């Protein structure tokens, strides 16, 4: 109506309403991207979890079998504990098998080893290069002029591309 004063716009003059909608759209887009990343990470964990459980079971089984073989093996065969042997000089000769000391330091199935297995399987799952797949085309910096190029720019036809990352001496 002609006699009423214009109401001030939130967020500034003119396109302020558009700015508030733009901020909401940006926030919604960011929320969607984070949700998609979370879904991707959850899916990858669900894919990796059976592999991890299999590996953890094998580590625990190997631990159990090694300990069982060392401790119970001699008793089942009816062999007495090995006696200390001495050589001609009267010095003690070490036994063929060193004594086993079972502690958390020399076991295979520990929390640290399981963390390392999980980390290794994640790295293996998310690596760029897979056997039989296409080679990754990483950027390289040339020593002269610090120009960025891609590795596969140097590939020619069907010739194999060989990269040498060290000296041959």
């Amino acid at each position: 109506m002609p006699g009423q004063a214009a109401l001030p716009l939130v967020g500034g003059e003119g396109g302020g309403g558009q700015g508030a909608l733009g901020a909401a759209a940006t926030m919604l887009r960011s929320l969607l991207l984070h949700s998609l990343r979370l879904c991707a990470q959850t899916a990858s964990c669900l894919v990796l979890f059976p592999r991890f459980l299999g590996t953890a079971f094998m580590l625990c089984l190997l631990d159990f079998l090694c300990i069982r073989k060392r401790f119970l093996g001699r008793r089942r065969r009816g062999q007495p504990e090995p006696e200390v042997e001495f050589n001609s000089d009267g010095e003690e000769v070490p036994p063929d098998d060193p004594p086993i000391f079972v502690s958390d330091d020399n076991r295979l199935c520990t929390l640290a080893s399981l963390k390392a297995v999980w980390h290794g399987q994640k790295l293996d799952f998310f690596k760029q290069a897979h056997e039989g797949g296409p080679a990754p085309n990483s950027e390289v910096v040339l020593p002269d002029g610090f120009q960025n190029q891609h590795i596969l720019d140097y590939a020619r036809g069907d010739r194999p591309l060989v990269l040498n990352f060290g000296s041959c001496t």
Side-chain angles (χ1 to χ4, degrees):
M1 298 207 172
Q4 291 181 342
L7 295 173
L9 295 174
V10 178
E13 295 293 323
Q18 296 290 338
L21 289 175
T26 302
M27 189 178 296
L28 186 61
R29 189 177 312 122
S30 175
L31 180 65
L32 180 65
L33 286 174
H34 285 293
S35 298
L36 286 175
R37 285 186 192 141
L38 179 66
C39 289
Q41 289 175 356
T42 303
S44 65
C45 285
L46 290 175
V47 168
L48 288 175
F49 196 63
R51 269 176 69 183
F52 171 73
L53 285 179
T55 306
F57 176 73
M58 294 305 272
L59 283 175
C60 291
L61 184 65
L62 188 60
D63 249 359
F64 175 73
L65 289 176
C66 289
I67 292 169
R68 182 173 174 230
K69 178 182 174 187
R70 295 295 291 246
F71 282 124
L72 301 178
R74 288 187 181 138
R75 290 186 190 156
R76 280 193 180 164
R77 287 177 272 171
Q79 296 176 352
E81 291 294 319
E83 297 177 12
V84 178
E85 296 179 22
F86 296 98
N87 62 10
S88 60
D89 296 333
E91 298 173 351
E92 186 177 330
V93 176
D96 292 338
D97 288 334
I100 185 168
F101 299 105
V102 179
S103 68
D104 286 338
D105 294 339
N106 63 354
R107 296 197 56 181
L108 295 173
C109 190
T110 62
L111 183 60
S113 67
L114 292 177
K115 283 182 182 179
V117 166
W118 178 255
H119 182 69
Q121 288 186 354
K122 272 192 341 186
L123 286 177
D124 187 44
F125 186 74
F126 288 115
K127 68 183 176 184
Q128 289 182 357
H130 294 280
E131 185 176 344
N137 195 11
S138 303
E139 281 191 5
V140 291
V141 178
L142 299 176
D144 53 341
F146 297 101
Q147 300 170 345
N148 289 346
Q149 290 189 343
H150 293 285
I151 290 177
L152 295 180
D153 292 343
Y154 295 99
R156 303 283 183 249
D158 290 337
R159 283 185 15 203
L161 179 65
V162 177
L163 302 175
N164 185 1
F165 292 105
S167 70
C168 296
T169 59

